[in-house]
Amino acid sequence: SYFTVLLMATATRIDAQEATRQALASELATVNKHLLAGAALVEPARYGFQPNAEVRTFQQLVAHVADGHAYFSTRAAGKKVDWTTQHEG
């Protein structure tokens, strides 16, 4: 029947959305792991290093990734969120 097909299509869409959320969460966890490992390798005194005015300092780069991580994690949780650069300063 039409309703059976509709229910199956809806269930398939929900499964696809959940799979997408899980894949995104996994990718974000990988980025977080690499970011933390990289940050641990840089001496805190070097966080302000900026090779030229057109690129971010290491501290700004870490903050930028943190802002992106917060945004995409919130979206992956199914919540509405606006992009913010609150950590970038």
Side-chain angles (χ1 to χ4, degrees), residues 2-81:
Y2 172 76
F3 292 109
T4 302
V5 172
L6 182 60
L7 287 174
M8 290 175 61
T10 301
T12 301
R13 182 171 179 233
I14 291 170
D15 288 345
Q17 287 174 336
E18 183 57 29
T20 301
R21 282 191 189 109
Q22 289 176 359
L24 181 56
S26 175
E27 291 299 318
L28 289 171
T30 299
V31 168
N32 191 48
K33 176 180 143 187
H34 290 296
L35 181 65
L36 291 174
L41 294 173
V42 177
E43 298 172 24
R46 304 279 297 163
Y47 274 32
F49 174 71
Q50 187 174 25
N52 64 55
E54 296 180 11
V55 298
R56 292 178 170 101
T57 65
F58 183 73
Q59 181 176 350
Q60 290 168 328
L61 176 63
V62 170
H64 175 72
V65 173
D67 285 331
H69 191 278
Y71 174 81
F72 289 111
S73 294
T74 303
R75 290 294 307 260
K79 299 176 184 173
K80 181 173 175 10
V81 63

